[in-house]
Amino acid sequence: MLVLLPPSETKSDGGDGGPLDLADLSMPQLTETRDMLVQALVDLAADPEESSRALGLGTKGADEIERNAKLWVSPTRPALERYTGVLYDALDAGAFTKAQRDKTYRRLGIGSALFGAVRAADPIPAYRLSGGSKLPGFGTLKSVWRNELTDALVAEAGGDLVVDLRSGVYQQLGPVPGAVTATVLTEQPDGTRKVVSHFNKHHKGLLARALVLTRAEPSDIGALARVASKAGLRVEVESPTELVVLT
């Protein structure tokens, strides 16, 4: 099973790893595009005004631009530790045992506008680039990644079940045919249901935690639902490729 998470806008600083080496990252077929985008961000950082515009930063974006300027020389840390925020708080990887972390490294991938996708153990620096950004001279990131990222993710899964918990913009960068997705709905007192963004990331983090830590090896959505239920989540199978998580 391959569980794909979205990245986060917020990222931790520092790290104990050496500078970025694209050869250390999973899915080496993406190296050429990664190299092109990393260098483009470094070059763009030389023009703070243009960087701020392209990256959608406000007046307080100087630190983010500085991160991009140092992409080739700043320290790295595993992607699992680099990304932060609501979803990653719910995943709570900091509480994992070594055995649980090793299992997570085998099962978890994370989407990335800059790297396409990485495995949880891949060493990456802090950076700023969102899936909806448009870099000068590149068009949309969807046009940059779509075909090769899909092929890379399919190859990485190796025929195993893919659970795609990425947000829409990151799914569009590299759709995975046949992947199971999850929709988080809140049930109202009158029985109606609606999508709410506030709890979406939290519950996807809880679902990801259940999936990467289970001893089971789910091969279909029914097995996924059983794992989620055992973890205390309220879920329903909406279709062969859509799981509904109810809050």
Side-chain angles (χ1 to χ4, degrees):
M1 176 175 54
L2 173 62
V3 180
L4 294 173
L5 295 185
S8 60
E9 294 288 357
T10 57
K11 300 172 184 69
S12 61
D13 290 313
D16 297 327
L20 176 65
D21 184 346
L22 297 178
D24 290 338
L25 303 186
S26 304
M27 291 169 276
Q29 60 270 54
L30 302 177
T31 298
E32 184 175 347
T33 301
R34 288 165 170 165
D35 182 84
M36 180 175 61
L37 288 176
V38 170
Q39 190 58 50
L41 274 187
V42 171
D43 293 341
L44 183 62
D47 186 340
E49 184 176 343
E50 182 62 23
S51 282
S52 183
R53 183 165 45 250
L55 301 176
L57 300 174
T59 57
K60 298 181 179 180
D63 289 345
E64 300 283 8
I65 295 171
E66 183 66 14
R67 280 178 165 182
N68 286 350
K70 296 180 177 180
L71 275 170
W72 289 121
V73 297
S74 58
T76 58
R77 64 176 11 149
L80 184 63
E81 300 173 12
R82 180 64 70 193
Y83 296 106
T84 61
V86 174
L87 186 151
Y88 290 90
D89 287 344
L91 181 64
D92 195 19
F96 289 175
T97 65
K98 183 181 184 303
Q100 289 173 331
R101 182 172 287 263
D102 290 343
K103 184 180 291 186
T104 302
Y105 286 162
R106 294 194 300 272
R107 288 182 169 176
L108 190 66
I110 302 170
S112 168
L114 181 57
F115 301 113
V118 292
R119 282 288 193 166
D122 285 355
I124 60 172
Y127 67 91
R128 179 58 179 259
L129 184 65
S130 302
S133 299
K134 186 175 180 180
L135 296 178
F138 283 88
T140 65
L141 290 171
K142 177 180 175 181
S143 68
V144 172
W145 283 119
R146 188 176 177 90
N147 292 330
E148 66 177 308
L149 181 54
T150 291
D151 291 344
L153 289 172
V154 170
E156 188 72 6
D160 291 339
L161 179 68
V162 176
V163 184
D164 194 348
L165 303 181
R166 293 176 297 170
S167 53
V169 66
Y170 288 97
Q171 289 180 356
Q172 291 172 15
L173 296 186
V176 181
V180 172
T181 60
T183 302
V184 181
L185 300 178
T186 292
E187 192 165 60
Q188 306 300 306
D190 63 0
T192 60
R193 297 172 176 180
K194 65 178 182 179
V195 177
V196 287
S197 59
H198 180 69
F199 294 108
N200 181 61
K201 292 179 180 179
H202 174 75
H203 284 277
K204 284 189 174 180
L206 293 179
L207 177 59
R209 180 181 175 86
L211 296 179
V212 298
L213 296 185
T214 182
R215 294 181 179 179
E217 294 290 346
S219 59
D220 57 37
I221 195 168
L224 287 177
R226 289 191 291 275
V227 169
S229 294
K230 287 181 180 179
L233 295 170
R234 185 181 170 202
V235 298
E236 294 178 358
V237 175
E238 180 69 17
S239 77
T241 58
E242 183 182 4
L243 192 69
V244 171
V245 180
L246 294 170
T247 68

